[in-house]
Each structure stands twice: as structure tokens, then as C-alpha cells.
């Protein structure tokens, strides 16, 4: 998962992109970067770490430009290294171009091997570089090179390209990853989520449609639909469950409201459940827990306290010290928990290791009965489309039956939201709107690299 942001025709383009990236930081913390167009000459600054670690007043001041594109990265293809940090900036047959990508290509290895056999030399191991090599082989203006190259890609992509005098945004025909359009005075903004537009004082215009390409140049915008319409979409439903910010607007509804409705739906599925309180696992389970409490009539208690100041500082510590970090990150409030029964609401169960530790700490604090309510179906398959889920073998629902999972986590009861109700509540009951591959194992796009 990554976050992308771009703004046209603004003398403060780097500073505004910097702010936009801050609001998208939840989508990637490994690296950050900004490329600017300074009168037809592109420059970029990328670095490892958080936006606040990569950019200072001085580095931003060294990025003058009238248009900019930025990226925050969480690696799904390619290693976590500076070579893979984006925007990737290169010079090729179409001149200079910078690219920011959110998604994951499922034929990247196949295409890369083919391109290397034809003499291409890659600088990075990320899949995003492939599109630059494909474009370099096409003739005509840059937008034509993009249009001819993109149909060769399989998988998920929302791309923003910055070229001298042009900003181009495009979303794959199935629309896996989001991309929205906004305005700030005469400037156009492209961003992964609506709060990034609002945080720079802009107004949200609309979502870029699946398969749509927009070309922003000379203060004007042109919209094209250059790809064959697949007759359905495959929007990642996990964006609604977990990834997107609660204040993001998707299809005129906030993500908060979507999660609240999912929580209500979960409570209806668990009709008759008895407990002293509903407890969210913050922050991911919070809005669903509010919905659950409303629907069930069981009072909501914030009985787990989240520490927001930990960052990633423990990543290099020993296993035994890292074990303690879950306790540091989420601590039970003992006097709320002691002797009580609870419905513990979380968004999803992936490996199950974190949930096991949370439950152990609640038990230690005296919780009497824990009914775990998961606001998504069991995850049985890996994501190939830009989310860093573990291998299939590591997924708890793939390794264990629900009863084995319940025992492993250490709860008294366990309930997953059904796929049918997830889709109905999210407005995708006809099965033609959302990707649900991680719950069903049915992948909506071709995955040549994975099928080898
Ligand atoms: Fe989203 Fe799951 Fe599909 Fe990946 S497999 S795009 S996480 S719904």
C-alpha cells in the first residue's frame, strides 16, 4: 500500500505536496519523496523513513517548482531500499518523467525478464520501473506512450506521472486502488484519499474512474477512457475495512460511516450476544465497535489504551523485547476490565499473533469472558494487488479451523463477519464491484507471476 499526491500550477507545489503526504502517511512509512517541475526541468528528493524524517525546511526550499508529485511507500514488490523510493525520476526517449505508483503489478517479473532479454537495464527492484521501460519503447507524446504501455500491465495501479508541463493521473480498469481529483484555486490536485486534498485547503471534485486517465496541462484538464471496459470493477474492499482514513470519503460516504455500518451488521449477525461491554481494538476496530454497541445496546468502553508515540523504533530490537511492544502499544485499563465480559471488536485477523497478545493482556487484567468479533471475513489468501499481507501459509485462517483459531487466540468465542453481509453492507451485493480475493481466493485479475 502506498500514498500518492500531486498538484499542478502552484508556486508552493513542494510544500503543499509535503502536507498532502503527511495526511497519507498511514499508507506507507518506509520511504517518502517529492519530484517537482521547475520550468521544464524535473528535480526530486527521496529518502528512507517518515515524511518528517525525509524533509526539512531546507530540503523543501531546494525544490522550487510549479507542479509536484509525491509518494509515501510501503513495499509490496521490491525491497525496502532507497533505490525503490518514489517518485522514480528518469530521462528517456520522452524526456524527463517522474512516476508515483500505488498498487502492485502481477506480471512484473515476466515483463522484467522480457525487457532485460532485450537489453533493458533496471536501476531498482520495484515493479513500478517497468512502466518507464515500456514507455521508452513507444513513439509519440508521453500520454500516447502511457496509453500504449498500460494494457501490457496486469494487476493494480493508480499512477501519477509528472513530465515537463504535464501531470497525468491514471487508474487501472478494475479500479483496485483509489485516486481522487480536487481543486485549489487554479491548481488541480490528485491524491490517494480525500483528506489529502482537504488538508491543503482544496476541495474534492470527484473520484478518478476505474480505467480513466486525466491529463492536466496549461491550467486545463482532459479526461480519457483509453482502455477496454472490463464490465465490472474490483475495488479493494479492504480499503474500507482497514486501510483508508476514517475521514476519507468514498462514493459520497465516509469510511467512518462504512465501518460503523459494518459494526451494526456484525451485531445483527451476533444477535442475542450478552456482554458487559463492547471494547474496540484501537484504532482499527473503533468505528465498527461504535456501530456494534449502537445495534446491540451493549455499552461501549474504551478499555484498551493505545500509545500513539511508538513509531517504528523497536524494529531492530530482539524478539523478546519486541514481544513486549504489543503491551506497550495497547494496554488494558484494569479497573474497566476486571471481572467483566466483553465483545472485543477488531477489523481483521491476519496472523493472529497480535490478537493473541492483546487477549493475554486482557486476561491478565482480569477479563472474565471475551467474545472476539471480527469486522471482516476470515482471510484465507494473500493479496497480490498492493497490500502487504503475509504468505498464504502464514494466514491463521488458512492454517487453522475457526475453533483452532479461537483456542490459539485464547478467546471464549470468535465470530467473523460473513462475506455476503460485508458485500451487501458495502453496496456490492452483485459481486461486480469489489475485490474480495483475500476472503474468497477468487482473484479478479490475471496474475502471471504468481501462477507460474
Ligand atoms: Fe484488497 Fe484483499 Fe483484493 Fe488485496 S486481495 S485488493 S486486500 S480485497
Amino acid at each position: 500500500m502506498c500514498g500518492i499526491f500531486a498538484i499542478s500550477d502552484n508556486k508552493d507545489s513542494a510544500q503543499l505536496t509535503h502536507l498532502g503526504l503527511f495526511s497519507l502517511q498511514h499508507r506507507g512509512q518506509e520511504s517518502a519523496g517529492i519530484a517537482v517541475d521547475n520550468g521544464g526541468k524535473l528535480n526530486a528528493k527521496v529518502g528512507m523513513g517518515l515524511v518528517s524524517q525525509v524533509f526539512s525546511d531546507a530540503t523543501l526550499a531546494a525544490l522550487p517548482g510549479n507542479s509536484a508529485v509525491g509518494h509515501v511507500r510501503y513495499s509490496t514488490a521490491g525491497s525496502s531500499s532507497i533505490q525503490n523510493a518514489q517518485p522514480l525520476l528518469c530521462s528517456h526517449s520522452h524526456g524527463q518523467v517522474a512516476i508515483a505508483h500505488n498498487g502492485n503489478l502481477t506480471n512484473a517479473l515476466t515483463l522484467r525478464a522480457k525487457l532485460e532479454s532485450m537489453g533493458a537495464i533496471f536501476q531498482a527492484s520495484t515493479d513500478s520501473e517497468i512502466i518507464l521501460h515500456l514507455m521508452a519503447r513507444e513513439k509519440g507524446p508521453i500520454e500516447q506512450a502511457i496509453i500504449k504501455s498500460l494494457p501490457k500491465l496486469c494487476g493494480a495501479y493508480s499512477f501519477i506521472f509528472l513530465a515537463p508541463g504535464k501531470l497525468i493521473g491514471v487508474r487501472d480498469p478494475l479500479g483496485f486502488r483509489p485516486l481522487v481529483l480536487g481543486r485549489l484555486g487554479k491548481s488541480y490536485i490528485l491524491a490517494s484519499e480525500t483528506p489529502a486534498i482537504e488538508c491543503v485547503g482544496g476541495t474534492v471534485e470527484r473520484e478518478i474512474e476505474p480505467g480513466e486517465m486525466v491529463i492536466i496541462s496549461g491550467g486545463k484538464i482532459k479526461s480519457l477512457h483509453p482502455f477496454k471496459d472490463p464490465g465490472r470493477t474490483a475495488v479493494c474492499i479492504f480499503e474500507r475495512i482497514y486501510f483508508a482514513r476514517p475521514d476519507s470519503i468514498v462514493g459520497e460516504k465516509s469510511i467512518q460511516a462504512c465501518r460503523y455500518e459494518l459494526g451494526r451488521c456484525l451485531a445483527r449477525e451476533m444477535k442475542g450476544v450478552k456482554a458487559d461491554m463492547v471494547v474496540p481494538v484501537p484504532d482499527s476496530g473503533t468505528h465498527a465497535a461504535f456501530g456494534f454497541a449502537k445495534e446491540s445496546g451493549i455499552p461501549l468502553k474504551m478499555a484498551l489504551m493505545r500509545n500513539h508515540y511508538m513509531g517504528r523504533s523497536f524494529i531492530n530490537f530482539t524478539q523478546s523485547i519486541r514481544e513486549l511492544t504489543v503491551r506497550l502499544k495497547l494496554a488494558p485499563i484494569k479497573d474497566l476490565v476486571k471481572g467483566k465480559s466483553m465483545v472485543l471488536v477488531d477489523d481483521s485477523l491476519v496472523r493472529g499473533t497480535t490478537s493473541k497478545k492483546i487477549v493475554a493482556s486482557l486476561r491478565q487484567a482480569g477479563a472474565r469472558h471475551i467474545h472476539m468479533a471480527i469486522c471482516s471475513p476470515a482471510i484465507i489468501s494473500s493479496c497480490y494487488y498492493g497490500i502487504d499481507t503475509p504468505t498464504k501459509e502464514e494466514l491463521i485462517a488458512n492454517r487453522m479451523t475457526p475453533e483452532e483459531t479461537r483456542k490459539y487466540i485464547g478467546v471464549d468465542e470468535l465470530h467473523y463477519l460473513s462475506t455476503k453481509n460485508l458485500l451487501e453492507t458495502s453496496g456490492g451485493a452483485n459481486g461486480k464491484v469489489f475485490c474480495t480475493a483475500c476472503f474468497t481466493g477468487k482473484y479478479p485479475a490475471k496474475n502471471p507471476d504468481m501462477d507460474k
Side-chain angles (χ1 to χ4, degrees):
M1 187 172 65
C2 298
I4 55 180
F5 180 96
I7 184 161
S8 71
D9 306 299
N10 197 300
K11 66 179 176 37
D12 297 322
S13 62
Q15 283 81 358
L16 293 171
T17 302
H18 181 233
L19 292 180
L21 292 183
F22 262 113
S23 76
L24 297 172
Q25 187 76 85
H26 61 289
R27 299 184 70 87
Q29 298 94 40
E30 284 184 9
S31 67
I34 296 175
V36 290
D37 174 7
N38 187 18
K41 167 103 178 74
L42 304 196
N43 296 307
K45 157 80 182 159
V46 295
M48 299 303 292
L50 302 171
V51 176
S52 60
Q53 293 166 319
V54 175
F55 292 101
S56 63
D57 289 351
T59 50
L60 288 170
L63 283 173
N66 210 38
S67 295
V69 59
H71 187 271
V72 285
R73 178 166 193 256
Y74 193 98
S75 61
T76 49
S79 57
S80 174
S81 65
I82 189 71
Q83 288 78 15
N84 289 336
Q86 296 190 26
L88 293 173
L89 173 59
C90 80
S91 295
H92 62 31
S93 52
H94 299 279
Q96 277 191 303
V97 59
I99 178 178
H101 175 202
N102 177 26
N104 193 54
L105 306 180
T106 55
N107 61 343
L109 298 177
T110 312
L111 284 173
R112 187 182 173 113
K114 202 168 158 189
L115 288 162
E116 282 177 335
S117 74
M118 294 190 291
I121 297 170
F122 283 79
Q123 307 294 324
S125 58
T126 167
D127 58 344
S128 313
E129 194 180 354
I130 285 164
I131 181 71
L132 296 173
H133 283 272
L134 293 173
M135 285 162 59
R137 287 171 156 71
E138 300 294 346
K139 295 197 169 58
I142 189 165
E143 49 269 43
Q144 281 310 315
I146 294 170
I147 289 170
K148 285 180 195 157
S149 303
L150 288 180
K152 297 180 181 131
L153 306 181
C154 298
Y157 55 82
S158 283
F159 282 122
I160 303 177
F161 300 87
L162 177 68
K166 272 179 201 164
L167 203 51
I168 299 170
V170 59
R171 201 169 164 204
D172 69 67
L174 290 171
F176 282 101
R177 298 284 149 231
L179 192 63
V180 283
L181 177 71
R183 294 296 304 256
L184 175 64
K186 290 180 180 165
S187 304
Y188 285 96
I189 301 172
L190 292 165
S192 295
E193 295 186 40
T194 57
I197 295 171
E198 286 160 345
C199 92
V200 299
T203 50
V204 177
E205 294 243 308
R206 63 179 178 88
E207 291 179 32
I208 301 297
E209 292 167 18
E212 182 182 6
M213 178 173 177
V214 290
I215 303 161
I216 298 158
S217 182
K220 295 200 168 66
I221 188 164
K222 189 162 89 180
S223 165
L224 307 173
H225 287 82
F227 312 114
K228 195 170 162 230
D229 182 357
R232 55 156 300 167
T233 57
V235 174
C236 173
I237 202 157
F238 232 98
E239 292 270 352
R240 296 184 183 215
I241 295 166
Y242 174 68
F243 301 119
R245 286 171 53 131
D247 54 341
S248 269
I249 305 292
V250 181
E252 297 181 1
K253 199 169 175 184
S254 76
I255 291 291
Q256 175 280 133
C258 296
R259 290 178 190 160
Y260 185 86
E261 284 308 319
L262 290 177
R264 292 187 66 177
C265 183
L266 191 58
R268 287 195 292 276
E269 283 191 358
M270 292 168 61
K271 198 165 189 260
V273 66
K274 301 246 178 323
D276 295 321
M277 56 184 156
V278 175
V279 176
V281 175
D283 296 325
S284 52
T286 303
H287 297 287
F290 274 104
F292 192 108
K294 170 78 180 167
E295 186 71 25
S296 65
I298 301 169
L300 183 121
K301 301 278 179 190
M302 300 300 283
L304 280 166
M305 163 86 197
R306 177 158 181 199
N307 184 332
H308 286 94
Y309 306 102
M310 287 174 58
R312 293 166 59 78
S313 43
F314 298 94
I315 214 148
N316 294 322
F317 280 39
T318 60
Q319 178 65 19
S320 59
I321 296 292
R322 266 190 282 130
E323 292 278 318
L324 297 173
T325 60
V326 171
R327 187 66 180 272
L328 186 59
K329 195 170 177 186
L330 284 172
I333 300 175
K334 280 188 194 155
D335 59 339
L336 282 177
V337 166
K338 197 169 176 200
K340 295 293 186 343
S341 60
M342 66 180 68
V343 176
L344 182 64
V345 180
D346 206 353
D347 65 289
S348 57
L349 214 48
V350 184
R351 289 187 183 86
T353 44
T354 304
S355 300
K356 186 180 171 70
K357 287 172 194 162
I358 294 168
V359 169
S361 70
L362 284 165
R363 295 280 191 210
Q364 235 179 17
R368 182 169 53 79
H369 187 277
I370 304 175
H371 194 148
M372 187 143 207
I374 302 295
C375 215
S376 61
I379 301 174
I380 56 164
S381 296
S382 297
C383 176
Y384 299 155
Y385 308 122
I387 302 300
D388 187 33
T389 50
T391 61
K392 195 169 175 174
E393 291 67 37
E394 291 172 278
L395 296 167
I396 192 165
N398 193 50
R399 292 191 293 120
M400 297 183 192
T401 64
E403 177 55 13
E404 287 167 341
T405 305
R406 182 194 69 73
K407 283 189 187 149
Y408 173 80
I409 305 271
V411 291
D412 301 285
E413 290 166 84
L414 171 67
H415 184 94
Y416 292 103
L417 183 67
S418 67
T419 304
K420 177 176 170 288
N421 281 338
L422 169 66
L423 288 175
E424 267 178 26
T425 309
S426 307
N430 67 4
K432 290 189 170 181
V433 179
F434 293 109
C435 172
T436 55
C438 47
F439 309 126
T440 60
K442 292 180 189 150
Y443 291 93
K446 288 186 191 153
N447 309 309
D449 291 346
M450 293 74 182
D451 296 340
K452 273 181 183 165

